[in-house]
Amino acid sequence: MLVRSLRFLWTAAALTLAALLFMSLIVAASFGTGWGVGVLVVGLIVVGARNLYQLDCLLRWSRTPIGTPVPPAHGTWGRIYAEFERRSRQSHEVRDRLSAALARFQDASQAMRDGVLYLSRSNTIEWLNQCAEQHFGLDRTRDLGAPVTHLVRNPDFVRYLQSRHYGEPLVMHSGRGAGLTLQVQVIPFGEDQYLVLSRDISQIEKLETMRRDFVANVSHELRTPLTVIDGFLETLSDGLDDFGRDEVHRFLVLAYEQSSRMRRLIDDLLTLSALETGAPDPVVEEVDAADLVQEVNKETELLSAGRHTVTMKVDGSGVLHGSYKELHSAVANLASNAVRYTPDGGHIEMGWRRLDDGGGEFWVQDDGIGIEPDHIPRLTERFYRVDRGRSRETGGTGLGLAIVKHILTRHQAELSIHSTLGKGSRFVVRFPPARFTPD
Ligand code: ADP
């Protein structure tokens, strides 16, 4: 189209020139050569000035913002202007489409939970998303255009980036945040360009550590009683006749204690595993809270066997929606801990009360050995014990409070622990109003 307009312009110029020449010849024939040349020169100046003026208009228009209407013109110049305007509009539309696509792509990269970093030659940062800013401690407003290795000085990262071998991702410990562990993968593309993807794997690493610790703990907990049983059996089988009946009986009782400990541990592990591994929601029964406390109170008296004063306080009634078996297990666990960690002659109190907000709480309180504040936040971790020896002596598995926590989470209840070393502890379980039948 533009070519056709330009051709048209040339034809028009040639025709104008021919007309001018023709007119000059006529004038020269009529009034003399001088007049003819004069008309030709004046004509050429007028035509040239007009075209220069139009060219100047075109140049000025080309510098105006896209979308500005073309200056008014007629004839060939009008057609040329219209053509330029059409082309400018077209390229404007293409640019708009590309900008929108780029913006969409950047929005998508921004929304990613992984860090995305584009590097060009010399590892210069071309673009990065918010996640990459957090992972590498970069700032988009400041760091674009800077070489990434000047800003991220982690030696593992720098070595990996410069190695040019990106088959395996790099696992690096970033100094950012509390112990951030990142998995970094570099993907080369185009000519000397790199896409760096970073993923926060701190949680996965933590879970993996927990799994390893758990396996080590379980093995250790099972091996200790097993070693004792092994020892007794070996001693007896080596020389049964060397021991008297009473001695053999004592060995057997001790071996039985150890096997019971193993059984308790396995029972607790199975309970915990059932609660943790996607056990269905607890059956919803109507549990009378006061009855539950009464029941646990009786069991606690039996467990204490007169070594402690066990009392109970019930303030208000309440029908809880939940699994009787699980709730009973949680409160009984707290009560059994109170018995085990309160020296003989101590006082254990348990109770129940309704709260003003419509919820309710159980509590178990003792005046036993108490717990140092530092330990309190970790008590519900599996196998966490303040005093391993005392826990074992009293038949503990280190899993009781972990089980309690799981049961309570399944019932949207919360456990709070208040304790003073040497004075005693109070474990409170609070249920939200939604867990109760309205009165
Ligand atoms: P354990 O089987 O060792 O009792 P738990 O998970 O029930 O395991 O409890 C974890 C730790 O919390 C115990 O080892 C003990 O150190 C501490 N603990 C729990 N209840 C009490 C309590 N009433 N008084 C003092 N310490 C307690």
Side-chain angles (χ1 to χ4, degrees), residues 86-294:
R86 192 182 67 81
R87 289 197 160 224
S88 145
R89 218 178 25 245
Q90 250 177 10
S91 61
H92 183 52
E93 278 166 13
V94 169
R95 206 187 61 178
D96 272 359
R97 269 205 305 279
L98 286 176
S99 305
L102 185 66
R104 271 202 306 277
F105 174 71
Q106 291 190 339
D107 283 351
S109 302
Q110 204 60 270
M112 276 175 75
R113 285 162 152 250
D114 291 343
V116 182
L117 195 65
Y118 289 103
L119 304 180
S120 63
R121 257 168 250 274
S122 321
N123 296 325
T124 304
I125 303 173
E126 291 294 325
W127 189 83
L128 72 165
N129 71 355
Q130 218 174 342
C131 217
E133 282 186 292
Q134 288 163 6
H135 287 174
F136 296 106
L138 296 169
D139 182 342
R140 230 174 323 163
T141 53
R142 195 189 54 204
D143 299 335
L144 291 187
V148 71
T149 42
H150 287 194
L151 302 167
V152 183
R153 292 177 173 271
N154 182 305
D156 292 340
F157 177 74
V158 175
R159 220 173 297 127
Y160 178 63
L161 203 59
Q162 288 169 349
S163 72
R164 303 289 184 235
H165 295 296
Y166 309 123
E168 289 294 317
L170 164 79
V171 173
M172 71 179 237
H173 296 274
S174 157
R176 312 271 139 204
L180 205 61
T181 307
L182 297 178
Q183 188 181 53
V184 179
Q185 176 75 63
V186 175
I187 305 164
F189 70 100
E191 209 177 298
D192 213 7
Q193 311 218 38
Y194 302 90
L195 182 65
V196 181
L197 298 176
S198 60
R199 174 166 292 179
D200 181 358
I201 55 163
S202 316
Q203 200 56 24
I204 299 172
E205 203 187 47
K206 204 168 135 197
L207 285 175
E208 183 52 27
T209 310
M210 275 170 69
R211 190 192 64 79
R212 271 199 303 265
D213 287 354
F214 182 68
V215 172
N217 274 322
V218 171
S219 316
H220 178 75
E221 293 290 334
L222 285 174
R223 210 175 49 190
T224 313
L226 204 58
T227 312
V228 179
I229 295 171
D230 258 7
F232 287 141
L233 293 179
E234 197 184 353
T235 313
L236 288 177
S237 60
D238 278 355
L240 188 58
D241 298 335
D242 301 344
F243 299 102
R245 194 185 150 78
D246 283 354
E247 229 165 353
V248 172
H249 181 252
R250 196 171 59 82
F251 280 170
L252 290 177
V253 168
L254 289 173
Y256 176 67
E257 270 174 18
Q258 296 303 317
S259 74
S260 302
R261 189 173 140 196
M262 287 170 69
R263 187 178 37 75
R264 267 198 313 276
L265 181 67
I266 290 168
D267 285 349
D268 275 0
L269 281 171
L270 289 175
T271 307
L272 200 57
S273 147
L275 290 169
E276 276 181 345
T277 48
D281 282 351
V283 262
V284 179
E285 295 161 320
E286 298 211 325
V287 179
D288 188 308
D291 284 354
L292 180 71
V293 175
Q294 237 152 14

Side-chain angles (χ1 to χ4, degrees), residues 337 340-341 366 371 379 384-386 391 396-398 400-401 425:
N337 277 355
R340 291 169 41 234
Y341 297 106
D366 61 59
I371 308 159
L379 292 183
Y384 190 85
R385 288 127 152 175
V386 178
S391 161
T397 60
L401 290 182
S425 315

Side-chain angles (χ1 to χ4, degrees), residues 321-393:
H321 292 187
S323 152
Y324 180 84
K325 191 169 155 235
E326 289 185 21
L327 294 175
H328 174 271
S329 159
V331 183
N333 242 306
L334 298 179
S336 116
N337 277 355
V339 171
R340 291 169 41 234
Y341 297 106
T342 303
D344 291 358
H347 179 206
I348 296 166
E349 182 187 88
M350 66 196 66
W352 158 259
R353 72 182 178 111
R354 278 311 282 272
L355 299 169
D356 292 343
D357 67 357
E361 66 183 26
F362 290 110
W363 77 89
V364 177
Q365 184 171 326
D366 61 59
D367 56 5
I369 61 171
I371 308 159
E372 266 183 289
D374 289 356
H375 294 289
I376 293 179
R378 301 197 57 191
L379 292 183
T380 54
E381 285 175 23
R382 297 176 295 190
F383 295 116
Y384 190 85
R385 288 127 152 175
V386 178
D387 178 348
R388 197 166 276 269
R390 182 166 186 128
S391 161
R392 288 226 184 95
E393 269 166 37

